Amino acid sequence: QVQLVESGGGLVQAGGSLRLSCAGSGRTFSNYAMGWFRQAPGKEREVVAAISWLGGNTYYADSVKGRFTISRDNAKSTVYLQMNSLKPEDSAVYHCAADKRNPDTWYAARSADYWGQGTHITVSS
């Protein structure tokens, strides 16, 4: 089992920044590719960003490229999502996820071995 706990969400004005953290515990954190997903009311879950086991490969949704940065610190069993230039359409519940499948493709299925409970982000205009 892997337990994931997100933090760092909240209310921010458009153009502002937030940094999400996801702390993992349980199994060896570096064995898992990690990702951030979000789901807004009435919309399907979508992948925001993903990172491979050691952080060498990353993926970003087109909607966040150039604004968001995913990173990980395996020594701290933590993955981060730095979000800059936030827009109202970024408002959603953000979940981190861990998975042992192919680190370059697992997130496309929008499923994962383990999920965090989610953290709310509201971006006001």
Side-chain angles (χ1 to χ4, degrees):
Q1 282 281 28
V2 174
Q3 292 79 42
L4 301 172
V5 179
E6 301 99 335
S7 60
L11 174 64
V12 64
Q13 288 189 331
S17 298
L18 282 175
R19 188 195 197 202
L20 302 184
S21 299
C22 173
S25 61
R27 300 291 180 90
T28 304
F29 188 76
S30 59
N31 287 347
Y32 292 84
M34 299 296 297
W36 287 96
F37 294 73
R38 68 186 181 188
Q39 188 165 18
K43 295 188 177 182
E44 292 187 347
R45 177 191 296 158
E46 61 175 347
V47 59
V48 176
I51 189 166
S52 57
W53 306 302
L54 300 181
N57 290 339
T58 56
Y59 165 84
Y60 296 94
D62 287 343
S63 58
V64 306
K65 279 182 182 176
R67 300 189 297 123
F68 291 11
T69 302
I70 188 171
S71 61
R72 67 188 295 165
D73 185 340
N74 286 340
K76 296 182 179 180
S77 298
T78 301
V79 63
Y80 306 96
L81 186 67
Q82 177 66 44
M83 303 182 293
N84 299 328
S85 303
L86 282 161
K87 304 175 181 180
E89 52 263 43
D90 293 319
S91 299
V93 178
Y94 284 69
H95 296 265
C96 69
D99 200 275
K100 296 191 78 172
R101 290 172 291 175
N102 186 312
D104 295 324
T105 60
W106 68 274
Y107 45 83
R110 292 178 290 176
S111 64
D113 293 336
Y114 300 102
W115 293 91
Q117 83 287 352
T119 185
H120 289 258
I121 292 176
T122 301
V123 184
S124 62
S125 58

